Amino acid sequence: QGAALAGMPPGLWTYLERVELPDGAVLIRQDEPPDDVFVLESGRLSVEMVTAEGIRMRLRSVNAGVVVGEVALYTGVPRTADVVAETRSVVLRLSKASIEQIEAEEPELAAAMHRWLAGILSERLRDTLREFDALLD
């Protein structure tokens, strides 16, 4: 999964905003609209959700090089979980406005960006299916 950063189209760097997060800072809130995609450059993030009963559950940790927020970008549904900095972290933010600008002004970069994100999505889907299969065994 750390290969996400390595596979990122070089032209995207111009559009990324570097955001430093202190330990415990909330990057993404459950139920918020899906506006941005983030690449974790350094540190570690925790993906957590609150169940219907109000119980906070930690789903997984995310290490450097991994992309978060890309699923909601494509589905348009509100965020399904909180993403919180487990340690001091640095993320690279690709905003919805930047994505729209790339699509309008740099169609080749937009195509490369969507191919890159689609690859990440398919990896995530493959991992999820593998976990699901393991549960059925």
Side-chain angles (χ1 to χ4, degrees):
Q1 292 243 353
L5 201 55
M8 187 171 68
L12 274 186
W13 284 99
T14 317
Y15 294 93
L16 296 173
E17 177 197 352
R18 241 182 131 155
V19 182
E20 295 191 19
L21 301 170
D23 182 9
V26 178
L27 178 65
I28 290 174
R29 277 188 205 286
Q30 193 170 337
D31 300 324
E32 276 186 349
D35 287 337
D36 308 316
V37 174
F38 302 92
V39 180
L40 179 59
E41 187 180 63
S42 64
R44 195 171 62 240
L45 303 173
S46 175
V47 180
E48 306 171 353
M49 70 177 296
V50 176
T51 66
E53 296 77 32
I55 299 163
R56 178 167 287 279
M57 284 177 51
R58 185 171 145 185
L59 304 176
R60 67 180 184 279
S61 287
V62 175
N63 294 312
V66 174
V67 175
V68 291
E70 81 289 357
V71 175
L73 177 78
Y74 285 110
T75 61
V77 297
R79 305 288 191 181
T80 54
D82 289 342
V83 177
V84 182
E86 272 185 35
T87 62
R88 276 189 56 204
S89 302
V90 176
V91 295
L92 304 171
R93 174 177 177 253
L94 183 61
S95 68
K96 189 175 186 178
S98 291
I99 292 169
E100 288 168 357
Q101 184 184 353
I102 293 165
E103 289 171 340
E105 297 172 9
E106 298 197 54
E108 284 182 16
L109 178 57
M113 174 191 68
H114 288 299
R115 277 194 304 274
W116 171 64
L117 289 171
I120 291 164
L121 270 171
S122 65
E123 254 177 59
R124 181 139 318 161
L125 180 59
R126 203 168 41 242
D127 291 346
T128 302
L129 291 173
R130 207 175 289 129
E131 288 168 15
F132 188 69
D133 284 344
L135 287 173
L136 295 178
D137 285 347

